[in-house]
Amino acid sequence: MRKQQTDSKPFIFFFLVFPYGISGGFATVTLPFLLIERGYSVSTTAMITSFGISANIIRFLWAPITDLTLSLHKWYLIGITLCASTLMLFCFIPLNINSSGLLAAVVFLSQFAATFVVNPVGGFAARTVAREKIGRAGGWYQAGNLGGAGLGGGAGLWLSNHFSYQVAVFTLSAAMLCCILALYAVPQVYAEKAGNLKEGFKIVVHDIKVLFRSPIALFTTAMIVAPVGVGAAANIWSSIATDWHATPDTVALVTGLLSGIVCSVGCLFGGWIADKMGKWWAFFGSGTLMASVTLFMSIFDLTSSNYVIGVLFYAFMMGFANASFSAVVLHAIGKGLVSTKYALLTSISNVASVYMTTFDGWMHDSYNIKAMLVGETVLGLGVVAVSVLILYLFKFDKAALTPD
């Protein structure tokens, strides 16, 4: 394996992962709101969204090709092209009840394409960032992810309401392509040295076995599939905004631009906290605070102003949680075959997003909005309490409990 430089600036990851965020934002904010306007139920919309984002669960299956064949720069270029192209497919689909199956398939395809952006970016983070800056790199990474989602969701929704969703799709696709310029600030990362692809996959299997013999990796895996700091409600805020009597423009501004900005600030704060106080304390602290936000939202009146305040506080905590999550994962995977291992752990983490989005939609339609919010709170706080107790009793990951 060729020696890699470790001089990527943490902030560059904001731009590298931005297209992935845009794609996800369109699928989880713009599209659900438009579907609700056209007569879809919240639970059906949530199922389309959760099916689409489930593509992220299996992205580790093709991640080894990223490590073993072309350079990460080339894979990133391929990913951006696929990501923009599949988003453009929405221009040709009518948003009516009869198109639900086709919409679900195209959402899945667009999220599948987006994984070819995020897989190499995970490799860039693990291989070209100094160890003491991993938390900050994770913060910028998640700021780009969630900031991109804010743009993809909010700008997409605003453009759809004031022009058409075809205009929104075209504009967002163009914004994705602009992020290619960020590659100039990242050192080349070449494929892992292997005689052929078959031999390379043997190396992958060996490294994954070694990874999961580690108590740190096993505990990390358990935590990232748990309902802690998942932020699933963000996937349906636009679908349930009518419960707070929020107008379409309010929804577009709050779930889009403002949430993107606030999420990004939360990410940078979370990355700094992870470096300064310890990765696990940042992870569990952010999960506790996010659960507290949904608890307070369930207590206060369902007014438009409370919707704005609640969604923005939730966005900040989601940024905090995502940054600490990235820091924990980058800590667990080490340096070898990093795109594959990063993709594997982050793929597994999407299980929580899928089941919690489905859970939230079901709770809303079966009971009401307040029951949904309380459900998120109880699950989050309960798992945090048990997990912190386990970590405290066994103390098998002292490195992540203390600052770098």
Side-chain angles (χ1 to χ4, degrees), residues 98-342:
N98 296 329
S99 301
S100 59
L102 180 59
L103 281 168
V106 174
V107 172
F108 182 90
L109 182 62
S110 71
Q111 298 313 291
F112 167 78
T115 65
F116 285 92
V117 173
V118 78
N119 279 353
V121 174
F124 288 138
R127 293 268 287 279
T128 71
V129 177
R131 201 70 185 166
E132 67 273 11
K133 296 179 181 177
I134 283 293
R136 277 159 283 178
W140 281 106
Y141 176 102
Q142 292 297 345
N145 179 16
L146 299 174
L151 178 67
L157 184 53
W158 187 87
L159 289 167
S160 297
N161 283 330
H162 291 83
F163 297 95
S164 68
Y165 73 89
Q166 289 89 350
V167 170
V169 165
F170 181 82
T171 304
L172 295 175
S173 297
M176 288 179 177
L177 296 173
C178 291
C179 294
I180 290 173
L181 296 173
L183 278 181
Y184 287 102
V186 182
Q188 280 284 350
V189 179
Y190 299 97
E192 297 279 346
K193 189 176 181 181
N196 53 54
L197 202 56
K198 183 179 179 180
E199 182 183 332
F201 272 98
K202 289 181 180 178
I203 296 171
V204 169
V205 172
H206 174 266
D207 272 30
I208 289 174
K209 285 181 179 178
V210 172
L211 175 68
F212 284 110
R213 290 192 189 110
S214 160
I216 296 172
L218 291 173
F219 183 74
T220 300
T221 302
M223 290 303 95
I224 63 181
V225 297
V228 178
V230 175
N235 293 333
I236 60 172
W237 282 142
S238 63
S239 302
I240 58 179
T242 52
D243 288 329
W244 282 272
H245 314 290
T247 65
D249 281 346
T250 297
V251 176
L253 179 63
V254 173
T255 61
L257 176 64
L258 294 182
S259 279
I261 293 171
V262 172
C263 267
S264 298
V265 174
C267 288
L268 301 181
F269 176 75
W272 181 82
I273 289 291
D275 280 343
K276 297 297 181 183
M277 297 183 64
K279 299 170 183 66
W280 283 120
W281 295 128
F283 181 79
F284 290 125
S286 61
T288 300
L289 292 171
M290 183 180 288
S292 301
V293 172
T294 52
L295 176 62
F296 283 113
M297 289 182 76
S298 72
I299 294 172
F300 292 115
D301 293 335
L302 299 176
T303 63
S304 181
S305 58
N306 284 341
Y307 174 80
V308 172
I309 295 168
V311 168
L312 293 181
F313 268 105
Y314 193 88
F316 181 85
M317 296 309 167
M318 189 165 73
F320 184 0
N322 276 263
S324 55
F325 158 81
S326 288
V328 163
V329 171
L330 289 169
H331 164 72
I333 64 174
K335 289 286 185 182
L337 292 168
V338 287
S339 291
T340 299
K341 291 190 285 188
Y342 188 83

Side-chain angles (χ1 to χ4, degrees), residues 313-389:
F313 268 105
Y314 193 88
F316 181 85
M317 296 309 167
M318 189 165 73
F320 184 0
N322 276 263
S324 55
F325 158 81
S326 288
V328 163
V329 171
L330 289 169
H331 164 72
I333 64 174
K335 289 286 185 182
L337 292 168
V338 287
S339 291
T340 299
K341 291 190 285 188
Y342 188 83
L344 177 60
L345 290 183
T346 54
S347 295
I348 293 170
S349 75
N350 284 285
V351 171
S353 182
V354 170
Y355 75 71
M356 283 302 297
T357 300
T358 304
F359 171 81
D360 281 350
W362 175 78
M363 285 290 287
H364 179 278
D365 284 0
S366 299
Y367 299 97
N368 54 49
I369 181 58
K370 295 204 172 188
M372 185 202 93
L373 295 168
V374 170
E376 271 215 12
T377 300
V378 171
L379 286 174
L381 292 180
V383 173
V384 166
V386 173
S387 303
V388 169
L389 180 62

